[in-house]
Amino acid sequence: MGKTRVFNLDKVVEEFEEVTKNAAQVQRETLRKILEQNGEVEYLRNFDLNGRTDPESFKSCVPLVTHADLEPYFQRIVDGDTSKILTEKPVTALSLSSGTTNGRSKFLIFNDEMLQSSMQIYRTSFAFINREYPIGEGKALQFIYSSKQIKTKGGLIATTGTTNIYKSKQFKSTMKEIQSQCCSPEEVIFSPDFDQALYCHLLCGLIYSNDVQYIASAFAHSIVHAFRTFEQIWEELCENIRYGVLSDKITDQSVRLSVSKILHPNPELADTIEQKCAGLSNWYGLIPELWPNAKYVYGIMTGSMEPYVRKLRHYAKNLPLLSAYYGASEGWIAANVNPRREIESVAYAVFPNISYFEFIPVIGENEETVGLTEVEIGKEYEVVITSSAGLYRYKLGDIVKVTGFHNSTPELQFVCRKNLLLTINIDKNTEKDLQAAVEKCSQLLSSEKIEVVDFTSYIDLSSEPGHYVIFLELSSDVEQETLNDCCDCLDAAFVDVGYVGSRKAHGIGPLELRVVKRGTFERIMEHYFGKGATVSQFKMPRCVRESNGEVLEILCGNVVRGCFSTAY
Ligand code: AMP
């Protein structure tokens, strides 16, 4: 096992131990490097740093900002201004954040340092996992996809962060180093058509079913989506394998050619898959059954991915689910170095040498930040990043909770995006509150063997008083009585005092539950892909605003049942 491994896993772990032991010093050093390199750029010249690189001067001179504050600078870069605006080195590529959390994509700089830190995160995460769950020679069934690349007015290529990574040479070589080569040829990852890419990922995964060591995607949602699709198309996949002929559905020539090279008639394999599928009850344990050598399922499973964990457990049976790392198009932050922890208690240890981090306490009078090693266990903070990709004291908009320390670097649990999701007057409900409410409702439905396929919400202010609307897609039809119970359960699950008080005082109307047709959330996803989002970074918007008219139209146009709560 591991004979061909060209890098030393223990050394990778040791390096991480070293930088995290001296996190405070490494942070000062990281800031010094960033400011020495970029201190003379136009943006920083506004703030009279005059060559100082210490955290104290930096904090007192440079303001905290959001993406909106930096937009004019990014716009100039997008439009072709090549002066040293945010970074000393010329900008050669841009990332577009997924934009599925707040409905709008943001331009960010993608540079060599970002690429290097991605490789560092992949290697470190793998090294820690491999100590607990060693894998053999083989392949990974990776549901990864690229997204559209656009050329900006100024001639720069802009695409999602993950696509920027996947198309790099380093990605391929790092995947090889860490024995994580994708079953599918590269052409599949870069297929312009998502459905064709997914079909081929599944097909290639089946062809190499005995070699697959683990199943992965960037976000858990893609894995669940892949296996839900598998439930629909497995017979066709088997036929392709039986006769060695690729489905006509695959029309992209480069994808056809590349997959056809590895697809040969294999009636024995087709029979085995058919028997295994027929033997499964409601697809429970699909992953270990079809990929008998898989050791775990790997991807981001926290935050907005938590609602998919239940289904993933169903497919994975006893296989461990490992939540990978924590990062954003803005930059990498942390990795899960305790892979044995249950998803519910996963925390990510921050890399002190990747960016300079500050934290704004959530409970506090002002926006006074504390440094990486000054955070306190049990407290919640908003993450602030200063990176070599032109972000200086940038508020990421993520709320995290410190749950412990790995050496002297904090371990962070993702709590939620900062923006409140649901608020009408004095009520305050976050994405996490909505998730918890839907989870309670899921438990109620699971006794009837019905699953919540996906969900979102909406604030309806068209009548007085306004009220919350929850859209649910369910795996099968449900009795009206159960639906009423679900609706009451959802309403009662929002326990924030503002909400409860307003409901009792009729400042907020009864919660409305609307059940949508099967496939509605898939249509929403396709809508986002049409606009350039990628499956690899896709996050279902958990609240649809009035301004997002097209998604609202899809939801409202597919409602099949509904009811109002009688909980108050
Ligand atoms: P993107 O805008 O596509 O770059 O997505 C980045 C965002 O995804 C982060 O700011 C987080 O809100 C979310 N995210 C990334 N990693 C995790 C994680 N491990 N757990 C929860 N949410 C995450």
Side-chain angles (χ1 to χ4, degrees):
M1 189 195 297
K3 260 187 283 162
T4 58
R5 190 175 290 138
V6 291
F7 83 112
N8 184 331
L9 290 178
D10 293 337
K11 195 157 166 262
V12 174
V13 170
E14 250 169 57
E15 274 166 17
F16 186 73
E17 295 299 338
E18 200 49 44
V19 291
T20 52
K21 271 181 198 146
N22 300 311
Q25 199 193 324
V26 174
Q27 276 282 273
R28 287 185 90 88
E29 191 54 20
T30 306
L31 180 65
R32 185 186 61 74
K33 272 194 208 150
I34 294 171
L35 295 180
E36 269 182 11
Q37 189 174 73
N38 296 309
E40 289 304 309
V41 300
E42 178 189 326
Y43 177 76
L44 284 180
R45 270 194 275 119
N46 293 328
F47 307 117
D48 297 327
L49 266 173
N50 301 323
R52 287 171 294 170
T53 63
D54 60 289
E56 296 73 24
S57 308
F58 180 59
K59 274 171 70 166
S60 65
C61 296
V62 179
L64 289 164
V65 288
T66 62
H67 195 274
D69 299 312
L70 298 181
E71 229 155 60
Y73 297 92
F74 280 112
Q75 198 53 53
R76 281 170 52 204
I77 297 173
V78 168
D79 291 343
D81 187 336
T82 54
S83 62
K84 295 169 181 176
I85 300 174
L86 290 168
T87 53
E88 186 68 27
K89 285 194 211 155
V91 176
T92 54
L94 292 168
S95 280
L96 267 168
S97 78
S98 62
T100 50
T101 38
N102 63 1
R104 233 159 52 87
S105 290
K106 295 171 287 191
F107 281 109
L108 294 153
I109 293 171
F110 185 84
N111 60 12
D112 203 44
E113 283 86 349
M114 296 274 279
L115 189 57
Q116 297 314 330
S117 59
S118 311
M119 300 310 128
Q120 190 186 352
I121 287 267
Y122 293 156
R123 282 199 190 98
T124 312
S125 174
F126 179 77
F128 276 92
I129 287 174
N130 211 65
R131 289 201 313 187
E132 306 288 335
Y133 304 101
I135 59 169
E137 300 275 323
K139 291 187 180 287
L141 170 51
Q142 303 218 45
F143 295 103
I144 54 179
Y145 309 88
S146 69
S147 60
K148 275 191 217 157
Q149 304 191 27
I150 57 166
K151 205 167 194 170
T152 68
K153 195 171 142 199
L156 287 169
I157 297 292
T159 183
T160 49
T162 42
T163 307
N164 271 322
I165 295 170
Y166 299 154
K167 66 182 196 178
S168 71
K169 278 198 200 94
Q170 282 93 329
F171 178 71
K172 249 192 284 176
S173 59
T174 304
M175 288 301 117
K176 200 166 173 188
E177 263 177 41
I178 62 176
Q179 295 169 271
S180 306
Q181 266 176 309
C182 189
C183 294
S184 318
E186 202 177 74
E187 288 79 356
V188 173
I189 301 171
F190 291 98
S191 160
D193 182 286
F194 163 65
D195 292 319
Q196 295 187 30
L198 170 53
Y199 187 95
C200 293
H201 277 320
L202 286 167
L203 185 64
C204 297
L206 290 172
I207 294 171
Y208 292 113
S209 48
N210 285 325
D211 299 325
V212 168
Q213 298 292 309
Y214 68 92
I215 318 278
S217 76
F219 286 94
H221 168 263
S222 315
I223 309 180
V224 170
H225 182 74
F227 291 121
R228 283 196 201 279
T229 308
F230 179 86
E231 290 183 25
Q232 312 297 322
I233 63 168
W234 66 279
E235 281 158 315
E236 189 177 358
L237 290 166
C238 278
E239 285 309 278
N240 289 185
I241 292 173
R242 182 176 304 286
Y243 300 108
V245 178
L246 186 59
S247 161
D248 292 344
K249 281 203 261 200
I250 311 304
T251 53
D252 184 273
Q253 280 314 307
S254 70
V255 175
R256 273 200 83 80
L257 208 66
S258 65
V259 175
S260 298
K261 278 188 194 147
I262 58 169
L263 177 66
H264 308 292
N266 192 340
E268 296 82 31
L269 178 61
D271 285 345
T272 311
I273 298 168
E274 265 173 13
Q275 277 159 19
K276 287 182 171 181
C277 287
L280 288 170
S281 159
N282 195 22
W283 301 100
Y284 176 63
L286 162 70
I287 297 175
E289 191 63 23
L290 289 188
W291 289 276
N293 295 313
K295 312 287 185 303
Y296 51 83
V297 181
Y298 178 69
I300 293 172
M301 302 191 186
T302 47
S304 57
M305 296 299 129
E306 272 171 43
Y308 305 105
V309 169
R310 178 192 282 265
K311 187 69 179 173
L312 207 49
R313 283 217 169 95
H314 180 84
Y315 288 132
K317 204 173 171 180
N318 298 325
L319 276 187
L321 302 185
L322 310 184
S323 193
Y325 25 64
Y326 169 35
S329 308
E330 283 86 347
W332 287 102
I333 300 161
N336 174 7
V337 295
N338 292 294
R340 285 203 181 267
R341 281 193 193 147
E342 286 295 318
I343 296 299
E344 290 71 15
S345 52
V346 162
Y348 305 91
V350 180
F351 280 69
N353 59 345
I354 281 185
S355 289
Y356 180 71
F357 298 102
E358 294 171 71
F359 295 86
I360 306 171
V362 167
I363 300 174
E365 296 297 296
N366 46 36
E367 289 201 322
E368 196 61 43
T369 62
V370 296
L372 180 71
T373 54
E374 293 158 357
V375 293
E376 292 176 45
I377 293 176
K379 290 204 172 152
E380 291 187 1
Y381 300 89
E382 178 178 1
V383 180
V384 176
I385 295 187
T386 295
S387 76
S388 54
L391 301 177
Y392 307 97
R393 310 198 76 211
Y394 174 101
K395 295 196 281 180
L396 187 60
D398 283 350
I399 305 294
V400 295
K401 182 176 182 174
V402 178
T403 56
F405 281 86
H406 182 93
N407 296 320
S408 59
T409 201
E411 291 190 332
L412 309 177
Q413 232 169 38
F414 183 87
V415 177
C416 59
R417 295 286 301 167
K418 185 181 166 196
N419 294 347
L420 282 180
L421 206 63
L422 293 164
T423 178
I424 290 180
N425 43 51
I426 54 164
D427 51 316
K428 289 187 176 57
N429 282 301
T430 63
E431 175 163 358
K432 207 171 174 71
D433 298 318
L434 173 65
Q435 269 176 26
V438 173
E439 176 55 27
K440 282 198 178 142
C441 172
S442 299
Q443 282 166 14
L444 209 149
L445 285 164
S446 69
S447 57
E448 311 239 346
K449 302 223 173 334
I450 298 170
E451 279 169 42
V452 174
V453 175
D454 225 324
F455 64 94
T456 190
S457 63
Y458 168 65
I459 295 284
D460 188 343
L461 299 173
S462 63
S463 57
E464 271 290 321
H467 67 277
Y468 291 9
V469 179
I470 311 286
F471 291 94
L472 293 185
E473 180 173 322
L474 302 176
S475 58
S476 51
D477 204 9
V478 61
E479 301 278 324
Q480 187 63 40
E481 202 179 322
T482 314
L483 210 58
N484 296 342
D485 291 346
C486 285
C487 192
D488 289 355
C489 165
L490 284 166
D491 204 6
F494 290 104
V495 289
D496 138 65
V497 283
Y499 184 75
V500 175
S502 291
R503 280 287 288 116
K504 286 183 179 160
H506 307 295
I508 296 179
L511 181 141
E512 183 181 355
L513 174 56
R514 297 187 198 166
V515 177
V516 293
K517 262 190 228 143
R518 275 312 297 270
T520 303
F521 280 82
E522 180 133 7
R523 284 190 56 194
I524 294 177
M525 215 167 70
E526 279 160 9
H527 163 80
Y528 278 105
F529 298 160
K531 288 173 63 178
T534 164
V535 193
S536 293
Q537 279 173 246
F538 184 75
K539 297 159 209 86
M540 186 59 74
R542 294 301 180 202
C543 184
V544 181
R545 314 268 168 210
E546 207 67 63
S547 55
N548 202 345
E550 287 162 327
V551 173
L552 206 53
E553 223 175 272
I554 300 175
L555 285 164
C556 295
N558 283 286
V559 173
V560 281
R561 305 273 294 278
C563 59
F564 283 90
S565 156
T566 54
Y568 288 92

